[in-house]
């Protein structure tokens, strides 16, 4: 039998729900901050195979979560591009500068030498060698989310620059989405060849779009990415936030599991996505600041609603915030693992 | 007969849909930028009655919209508070600094001398004297949105500080919401006494909450504000963004109209809110960058779907972006006004 996480993602229920957290190996863990300090630049940390393997393993050891997720960043697949200067500024976030006009799709996303990302494959195989029985989740951004970092020159509140570009240059945008998808397929397959057990596609910022625009400008590309990953027989989770109104489109993606955020009740999400699906989510990461008694009620309510889907993977609706108490996160894992439906 | 805007907000259809835009008197208009330059500080501009009346009237003259909205800012009702230092930094946004601990609700939101906001009443009466036949919309933030500026020290992407405070200090938060509601009721009534014809409550950032938290921490206070305004017989519009999953709660607010954003189709929104309601929205402000042919199709699709509600007020789902072409906005007004359903 597979681990509870892999059982669940394949649609088979175990006696307890599996649990992991987005950004579980992050700044909220003192052990992470200690390892983080060993490299000055964040991307150098991502490139340091030994440290990245150690960081990837931290939450399994410290929090007892059911799966590890590759320690890396959504922007890492952009690093081989000579057209871009990509950096992460402490306390500010990502800064992406393009050295070619954004409408020149080919120049922007070519040439792409995937071998420069060989360190990611080494982290995956390094982790699996050291922890063969721990499920490892690989990941990448979805094409829209990846491109948004280029078109916004970093992160954003409204994603207006991305949408403006999409509306004003639909052909260049379509080609960028196509090329981004190609690049992400290569990147995902590299992780899969190296040994990840499951894969999560992060469409963190696609909630800025209307359902109509999601369907018109984004769907086919994201579908292509998910399909290509699925061909490798690796189970795929599609994650998005703020997409309550687009779930009717999202449900058509050929993935194994959908990760939804707290902006929709898990019950409503399952009703829209269909019962015969695997659902992941959906605690608000800010809710980790509730008193334990309240928090326990919420976690259990999510587990009860999650039972309406074929299988449920407990998670947050987005990443753990850096100011979160690690003890609280560890305790939530215990609450999930000790909950019984009967 | 009332103007088409006032007819619509009362649930009566005219032969054409009325239209106005959030942030219609904003930086995208060169005529606004010319008047803006006459005062150094943004709040001094808000306090300058003559200029504010002129700015309020600009979009009616230049864009031919069906209603004016008071030129002011969501943060203006915070200005009389001695506990806060509030400023708007050009190119950065609002900065709010509290001189008392945030948990000391009474000290934070007291004393409140509404007379310091007398200039707002003067702008309203000044506008109505000059333009007696133009409907004027008054506005304020909803309590959650107003408090978020204090608890985040300005604007935010994730509203984590606000939610963290709400979860860690539920009693202080409840009291802050209560006091913010009292203060906003006074502020709204001042605008109504001065002559506004309708009122919009902006809950711009409440979409950060889960439906459960909206219901538990926010609903009763927002309801109280809407009820108090409704008692004056002035029609009320409740505006929110990213609240698709909470519309089942929002529909219980005793307001005349609901303004929804583009993250949900107008059809789905009307289905959830109920047909016998007035709906406002819901074009993505970024869609103003579509070529005219495409844009026209979208505007008309919104008008066709809007017909399924008792009445529909055409608007964006959020404010006009500063880089928008004023000619395009003016042209959308023409498209709306020339559209016929039959």
């Amino acid at each position: 039998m597979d681990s509870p996480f892999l059982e669940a993602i394949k649609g088979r229920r175990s006696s307890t729900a599996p649990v992991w957290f987005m950004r579980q190996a992050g700044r909220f863990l003192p052990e992470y901050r200690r390892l983080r300090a060993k490299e000055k630049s964040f991307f150098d940390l991502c490139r340091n195979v030994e440290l990245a393997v150690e960081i990837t393993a931290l939450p399994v050891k410290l929090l007892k979560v059911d799966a590890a997720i590759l320690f890396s960043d959504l922007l890492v697949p952009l690093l081989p591009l000579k057209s871009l200067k990509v950096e992460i500024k402490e306390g500010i976030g990502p800064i992406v500068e393009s050295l070619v006009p954004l409408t020149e799709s080919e120049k922007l996303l070519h040439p792409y030498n995937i071998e420069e990302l060989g360190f990611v494959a080494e982290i995956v195989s390094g982790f699996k060698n050291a922890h063969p029985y721990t499920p490892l989740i690989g990941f990448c951004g979805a094409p829209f989310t990846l491109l948004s970092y280029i078109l916004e020159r970093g992160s954003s509140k409204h994603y207006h620059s991305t949408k403006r570009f999409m509306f004003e240059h639909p052909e260049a945008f379509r080609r960028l989405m196509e090329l981004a998808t190609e690049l992400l397929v290569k990147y995902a397959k590299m992780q899969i060849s190296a040994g990840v057990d499951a894969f999560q596609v992060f469409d963190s910022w696609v909630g800025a779009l209307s359902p109509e625009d999601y369907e018109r400008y984004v769907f086919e590309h994201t579908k292509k990415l998910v399909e290509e990953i699925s061909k490798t027989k690796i189970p795929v989770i599609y994650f998005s936030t703020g997409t309550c109104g687009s779930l009717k489109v999202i449900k058509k993606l050929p993935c194994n599991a959908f990760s939804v955020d707290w902006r929709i009740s898990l019950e409503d999400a399952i009703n829209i996505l269909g019962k015969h699906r695997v659902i992941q989510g959906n605690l608000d990461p800010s809710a980790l600041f509730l008193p334990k008694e309240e928090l326990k009620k919420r976690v259990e309510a999510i587990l009860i609603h999650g039972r309406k889907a074929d299988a449920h993977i407990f998670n947050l609706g987005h990443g753990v915030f850096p100011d979160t108490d690690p003890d609280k996160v560890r305790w939530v894992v215990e609450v999930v693992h000790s909950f019984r439906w009967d």
Side-chain angles (χ1 to χ4, degrees), chain A residues 156-196:
Chain A
S156 171
K157 183 166 178 172
H158 297 296
Y159 294 89
H160 171 54
S161 301
T162 304
K163 291 192 281 179
R164 179 178 167 166
F165 186 94
M166 181 175 97
F167 291 137
E168 288 191 323
H169 308 287
E171 188 43 42
F173 184 80
R174 194 196 57 73
R175 186 66 184 136
L176 280 175
M177 289 288 280
E178 215 167 58
L179 293 171
T181 304
E182 276 176 25
L183 167 171
L184 289 165
V185 167
K186 281 183 198 161
Y187 182 59
K189 287 189 173 169
M190 189 184 75
Q191 294 181 42
I192 293 163
S193 302
V196 297

Side-chain angles (χ1 to χ4, degrees), chain A residues 19 126 138 236 287 305:
Chain A
V19 48
V236 184
H305 287 308

Side-chain angles (χ1 to χ4, degrees), chain A residues 12-255:
Chain A
R12 296 189 291 262
R13 287 182 192 170
S14 307
S15 56
T16 61
V19 48
W20 68 281
F21 300 103
M22 283 175 266
R23 228 177 288 145
Q24 62 188 10
R27 279 187 287 157
F28 80 107
L29 287 177
E31 295 82 357
Y32 166 78
R33 295 197 298 271
R34 196 174 48 77
L35 297 173
R36 171 69 190 87
K38 295 190 176 185
E39 289 284 359
K40 200 169 166 221
S41 121
F42 179 77
F43 289 130
D44 283 344
L45 187 68
C46 295
R47 283 190 195 96
N48 185 320
V49 173
E50 199 183 328
L51 282 180
V53 168
E54 199 178 342
I55 294 170
T56 302
L58 279 180
V60 181
K61 191 173 70 181
L62 298 170
L63 309 171
K64 312 289 178 206
V65 291
D66 295 285
I69 180 163
L70 168 70
F71 176 72
S72 194
D73 190 89
L74 290 181
L75 296 176
V76 162
L78 296 180
L79 296 179
L81 292 164
K82 302 291 171 267
S83 59
L84 298 177
K85 279 168 83 173
V86 182
E87 57 173 329
I88 293 191
K89 286 203 174 167
E90 288 293 322
I92 294 179
I95 310 280
V96 179
E97 192 196 331
S98 173
L99 308 174
V100 303
L102 297 171
T103 46
E104 298 197 10
S105 322
E106 314 291 328
K107 280 190 193 163
L108 196 61
L109 297 185
H110 279 146
Y112 194 68
N113 182 7
I114 187 85
E115 278 146 47
E116 288 186 35
L117 300 177
F119 62 88
V120 174
E122 288 177 48
I123 298 164
V124 170
S125 55
F127 180 89
K128 287 307 293 184
N129 284 336
H131 310 276
Y133 303 111
T134 305
L136 177 63
I137 305 167
F139 77 93
C140 69
F144 179 87
T145 290
L146 186 74
L147 283 183
S148 80
Y149 287 101
I150 303 176
L151 298 173
E152 300 288 333
R153 299 163 210 281
S155 73
S156 171
K157 183 166 178 172
H158 297 296
Y159 294 89
H160 171 54
S161 301
T162 304
K163 291 192 281 179
R164 179 178 167 166
F165 186 94
M166 181 175 97
F167 291 137
E168 288 191 323
H169 308 287
E171 188 43 42
F173 184 80
R174 194 196 57 73
R175 186 66 184 136
L176 280 175
M177 289 288 280
E178 215 167 58
L179 293 171
T181 304
E182 276 176 25
L183 167 171
L184 289 165
V185 167
K186 281 183 198 161
Y187 182 59
K189 287 189 173 169
M190 189 184 75
Q191 294 181 42
I192 293 163
S193 302
V196 297
D197 303 288
F199 201 89
Q200 179 156 315
V201 174
F202 283 81
D203 221 349
S204 315
W205 314 125
V206 79
L209 296 180
S210 69
E212 181 184 355
D213 288 326
Y214 184 96
E215 187 149 30
R216 183 180 303 191
Y217 295 95
V218 168
F219 179 73
E220 61 167 314
H221 306 284
T222 308
K223 180 167 176 263
K224 171 89 179 163
L225 174 63
V226 171
E227 269 171 1
E228 289 295 320
I229 303 171
S230 292
K231 279 184 194 164
T232 66
K233 309 290 180 204
I234 287 292
V236 184
I237 307 165
Y238 177 73
F239 163 80
S240 61
T241 72
T243 47
C244 165
S246 295
L247 290 182
K248 286 196 277 190
V249 186
I250 286 173
K251 73 182 281 191
K252 293 187 257 172
L253 288 173
C255 52

Side-chain angles (χ1 to χ4, degrees), chain A residues 248-269:
Chain A
K248 286 196 277 190
V249 186
I250 286 173
K251 73 182 281 191
K252 293 187 257 172
L253 288 173
C255 52
N256 299 67
F258 296 97
S259 195
V260 297
D261 77 357
W262 62 92
R263 290 179 182 88
I264 182 169
S265 71
L266 209 57
E267 209 171 0
D268 284 352

